[in-house]
Amino acid sequence: MAQSEIARPRRKAHGQRFQRMKDQALDLKVRPDAPLDQQNRFVDCGWGRLIFGHTFQEPADLIEMLREEGPDRRDIAFYVRDPHVLLGQAPQELFLDPSHTFRLNLATYRPARSRRKGFTVRRLASRRDADAINVLYASRKMVPVSPEFFWNGMDQREITILVAEEDETGAIVGTAMGVNHNAATNGADPGSSLWCLAVSPQARFPGIGEALVRRLAEQYRGLGIPYLDLSVLHDNDMAIGLYEKLGFERVQVFTVKRKNTINEALYAGPSVEERLNPYAAIIVNEARRRGIRAEIMDADGGFFRLSYGGRSVRCRESLSEFTSGVAMSICDDKAATHRIVSSAGVKVPQQILAGDETGLKAFLAQHGQVVVKPLRGEQGKGISIGISTMDDLQAAITTARTYSSEVLVEEFVEGDDLRLVVIDFKVVAAAIRKPAEVMGNGRATVGDLIEAQSRRRAAATGGESRIPVDAETIRCLAAAGCDLETVLEEGRVIRVRKTANLHTGGTIHDVTGETNHALIEAAIRAARAIDIPVTGIDLMVKSPREAQYHFIEANERPGLANHEPQPTAERFVDFLFPLSVPQPVRDAISRRPA
């Protein structure tokens, strides 16, 4: 018999098996004679309950279960039969989730040929993992889970929690939750599903989301489970592209949720400030949640007006009318900023204005390495770091003069870039900012790696973070013995910028809970010296846990969206409209010791 004749029945059998799998997705019926332990099934996932809608024979029973949703929880009724009937009986309480369901046939799934480098996917193993998962959930505006649930409230036969851990740093940069339907429904549903896939916007390595999905698929495949389902918002093109790449197929399954404040964005329609950048949108959305009127004055520029009671305040992102012109002028002039904060006892690096060559040579010889920056400027533009030769110094000064006619040359200080957000002279967030870097795979050029990393940073920040390929990038590559055409060996990591600014591809890592009190005091002292109520204070530190620091600069319009999950937008709106804070909260604040 010819080989093609042998393969024909195999292809036919494969097609029939795949068709049965697709048909099963539409067979959302529970048998009338099903045992009681297979009816009205749900599983507690910590953030809410996953309710198996197809195990409910009566819509009234499913509606009643959704009404029992706990406070600050998000229940999901999945596989709902006849959703139009369900919504017709409770139209003011329920809504049809605008998500698609995708299914992976585990019988035909093919594992990846090689493991991704730079991180490891494993099961949840510690309280530290649980805390890191909640940080990831908060960064993606997902409902947090009590850490106790992971140890005492979760049935590990039904739920699997995975994390992705960076091999070098130990940081948790991704997580996913899998639900074994067969165990959760006592056999009423043979499948499984994926929920809460979250990857840190600061993740340095590609493929984390894919690796988490594959690990769950391979686990359930090993258990003999026939398929893995997931629900994804209809307009999440990037996620849908990943799932289709892995072999997921869309199936006609419907999801119903309860109308609550958590789900509001899903049933209230699109917001009117779609063109606002993330830094303005986070403030406008917080204001609207409190009933504060928001008028968009110029979406492209991030200008808006907030009104509450008898007060109206114009803002440009986190810059409001309460920041004086004098304070703005001080922040705009980096030399003036240094003089003023230094006189307040804040430690600053030495600096001079770029002038005659003799003075520059002496300053470079004194410090060995220097930083060159425009006297006026923002977003890291025109800054060169770690300059050690006169030729590079002159070139950096020329670059900086394209942004400001006057240029500063500053003592280079080793350490990490720490941004502290100060609102109403209180530190509300602290984060280490790290320069952009790429990791080689043995195949791609450095230029290709930069382009790929830049796309990931732009996607993670709404287009705010990209790695520019300019003279500073070329200089950093040359210092590492590379250029844009170099094929970087597998596993090697190089920094492609020296500045840690978000707008030049840098990443931000929250350290609010571990910042030394001396650094917090220095930031507040600097803000008071400038007399600026809302600012981002940049310090160069050895570690956020140690007291040593040097003041770098003050930003009059810090990006509050960069510091989630810290409540920066909430504290900003508190500052603008203290009467919008609920009375019990104001009373509690007033009772705190000074």
Side-chain angles (χ1 to χ4, degrees), residues 14-62:
H14 172 82
Q16 289 173 340
R17 187 167 63 249
F18 191 70
Q19 186 61 46
R20 282 198 305 273
M21 184 274 287
K22 294 175 71 175
D23 292 341
Q24 191 177 27
L26 305 177
D27 185 18
L28 302 178
K29 297 179 181 179
V30 62
R31 301 190 316 272
D33 60 343
L36 290 178
D37 64 358
Q38 289 188 353
Q39 296 183 32
N40 298 1
R41 300 299 302 175
F42 69 89
V43 58
D44 186 0
C45 297
W47 38 262
R49 297 172 299 177
L50 177 61
I51 302 170
F52 298 93
H54 56 319
T55 68
F56 287 72
Q57 294 186 10
E58 298 297 331
D61 293 339
L62 181 51

Side-chain angles (χ1 to χ4, degrees), residues 203-510:
R204 298 185 298 159
F205 305 108
I208 293 171
E210 178 180 340
L212 288 162
V213 177
R214 286 188 178 276
R215 176 66 177 271
L216 273 179
E218 288 156 18
Q219 172 183 314
Y220 289 136
R221 184 187 186 198
L223 294 174
I225 291 175
Y227 56 84
L228 175 68
D229 287 354
L230 57 83
S231 179
V232 58
L233 278 173
H234 69 96
D235 57 355
N236 191 344
D237 295 334
M238 181 172 292
I240 290 172
L242 167 63
Y243 300 139
E244 290 179 338
K245 168 189 170 185
L246 295 178
F248 282 82
E249 296 273 347
R250 185 177 165 191
V251 291
Q252 296 301 315
V253 167
F254 299 102
T255 302
V256 171
K257 296 178 181 176
R258 189 166 176 264
K259 292 181 178 178
N260 58 27
T261 55
I262 296 172
N263 293 323
E264 186 176 6
L266 300 177
Y267 63 82
S271 60
V272 299
E273 73 281 0
E274 287 180 344
R275 288 191 300 138
L276 285 176
N277 65 40
Y279 309 114
I282 191 176
I283 298 169
V284 168
N285 289 335
E286 172 61 24
R288 285 178 170 168
R289 278 193 288 269
R290 301 191 190 189
I292 297 171
R293 182 173 180 268
E295 174 191 354
I296 311 304
M297 300 164 57
D298 176 30
D300 292 337
F303 292 92
F304 53 90
R305 184 197 307 273
L306 302 180
S307 302
Y308 185 81
R311 172 178 283 186
S312 178
V313 183
R314 291 181 301 171
C315 302
R316 183 183 188 188
E317 300 163 7
S318 63
L319 176 65
S320 76
E321 295 175 340
F322 296 122
T323 295
S324 71
V326 173
M328 282 189 62
S329 179
I330 293 172
C331 291
D332 183 54
D333 186 330
K334 293 180 175 64
T337 309
H338 273 231
R339 291 193 300 269
I340 288 172
V341 301
S342 178
S343 66
V346 178
K347 188 175 182 180
V348 300
Q350 293 185 30
Q351 59 180 210
I352 61 170
L353 282 172
D356 65 280
E357 186 171 338
T358 302
L360 290 174
K361 284 182 177 179
F363 193 82
L364 182 60
Q366 178 184 355
H367 297 289
Q369 293 186 79
V370 297
V371 177
V372 177
K373 59 178 69 173
L375 182 71
R376 292 177 169 83
E378 59 180 3
Q379 299 182 351
K381 295 175 181 177
I383 296 178
S384 301
I385 295 177
I387 301 296
S388 58
T389 69
M390 277 302 297
D391 288 343
D392 286 345
L393 179 57
Q394 293 290 4
I397 291 171
T398 300
T399 299
R401 281 195 172 127
T402 63
Y403 297 94
S404 172
S405 59
E406 294 182 286
V407 174
L408 283 174
V409 179
E410 185 176 274
E411 169 192 0
F412 173 72
V413 179
E414 287 277 4
D416 291 327
D417 187 328
L418 177 68
R419 162 65 62 91
L420 299 105
V421 177
V422 183
I423 299 177
D424 199 16
F425 304 111
K426 302 177 184 69
V427 171
V428 300
I432 289 292
R433 304 191 299 175
K434 296 183 178 180
E437 56 185 24
V438 297
M439 184 177 74
N441 58 16
R443 301 183 305 276
T445 66
V446 170
D448 291 337
L449 294 171
I450 290 174
E451 183 180 352
Q453 176 72 346
S454 192
R455 285 198 303 268
R456 287 195 295 273
R457 295 296 301 134
T461 60
E464 294 296 316
S465 180
R466 298 178 186 275
I467 304 174
V469 178
D470 55 16
E472 176 65 5
T473 301
I474 301 300
R475 188 179 68 83
C476 291
L477 294 180
C482 304
D483 59 29
L484 293 173
E485 300 303 318
T486 301
V487 176
L488 204 59
E489 55 267 32
E490 185 172 354
R492 183 184 175 192
V493 177
I494 61 169
R495 286 188 169 179
V496 298
R497 304 285 295 185
K498 291 291 184 70
T499 56
N501 195 281
L502 177 81
H503 293 86
T504 55
T507 57
I508 297 178
H509 308 266
D510 182 71

